[in-house]
Amino acid sequence: FPVTIDYCRVDPFYHFLRRVKWKIFGNLTFEDKRKRGNLRTAHVDRQNDFGVLLERAAFKLRLQLNDFYYFLRHEKNRLDKGWHLHFCLADYGPIQKLDSYVVADELGAIWRRDFLGPSGKNGTTSIHPYDEEKYKERGVSYFCKRKGKKNKGTS
């Protein structure tokens, strides 16, 4: 018999992501109006900036780029309609050996130092260790926009 899934109530990303052990939670904003826009080129530019951020962090932390396992989401700000990024890095592979605070500090420093926008900065950043106790459900729920929703039937 056919099965109908209400994706407003059941987000398949949520059920997968909540089982991952995360190391880092962060967001990145952009001053450049072109990168904050809704055009496909803006999406690609934001994606490329994130990729370069990981490349530079890999070099600085003596890792390979493919040592980073991540989830990245582009999101529109409700107030000014500008787009920004949210991401989590998984605590998997060689990154497990590194201190979460060192990784978070290095990512933040690279963003503030190397990604200068038109007014001398590239927006703001908030990158910190993923606190399992604090964010176990809330962090992934935030990604999947499930804030305040009860997740019945999940294990």
Side-chain angles (χ1 to χ4, degrees), residues 42-102:
H43 181 94
V44 170
D45 285 347
R46 289 189 301 269
Q47 190 91 17
N48 287 342
D49 280 357
F50 182 72
V52 171
L53 173 66
L54 290 185
E55 284 177 3
R56 292 179 183 178
F59 177 78
K60 196 78 168 159
L61 297 168
R62 297 184 178 160
L63 299 171
Q64 299 295 315
L65 181 58
N66 61 0
D67 290 336
F68 291 111
Y69 295 87
Y70 63 87
F71 182 75
L72 177 68
R73 176 138 302 167
H74 298 249
E75 181 180 276
K76 186 191 292 188
N77 184 325
R78 283 186 268 159
L79 299 175
D80 65 6
K81 307 298 184 210
W83 287 78
H84 57 277
L85 299 176
H86 293 286
F87 69 93
C88 277
L89 298 181
D91 193 16
Y92 179 77
I95 198 172
Q96 287 177 302
K97 298 174 186 169
L98 301 175
D99 182 81
S100 298
Y101 290 95
V102 170

Side-chain angles (χ1 to χ4, degrees), residues 118-132:
S119 62
K121 60 181 180 175
N122 197 21
T124 60
T125 181
S126 173
I127 302 172
H128 48 85
Y130 192 91
D131 183 341
E132 283 290 325

Side-chain angles (χ1 to χ4, degrees), residues 105-119:
D105 289 347
E106 192 59 49
L107 286 164
I110 292 168
W111 185 256
R112 288 184 296 275
R113 181 184 64 235
D114 297 352
F115 289 86
L116 300 178
S119 62

Side-chain angles (χ1 to χ4, degrees), residues 11-15 17 71 73 139-147 149:
D11 186 335
F13 280 123
Y14 172 77
H15 294 288
L17 294 172
F71 182 75
R73 176 138 302 167
V140 173
S141 292
Y142 181 78
F143 261 165
C144 297
K145 295 303 167 218
R146 296 177 59 88
K147 293 189 295 186
K149 296 181 181 176

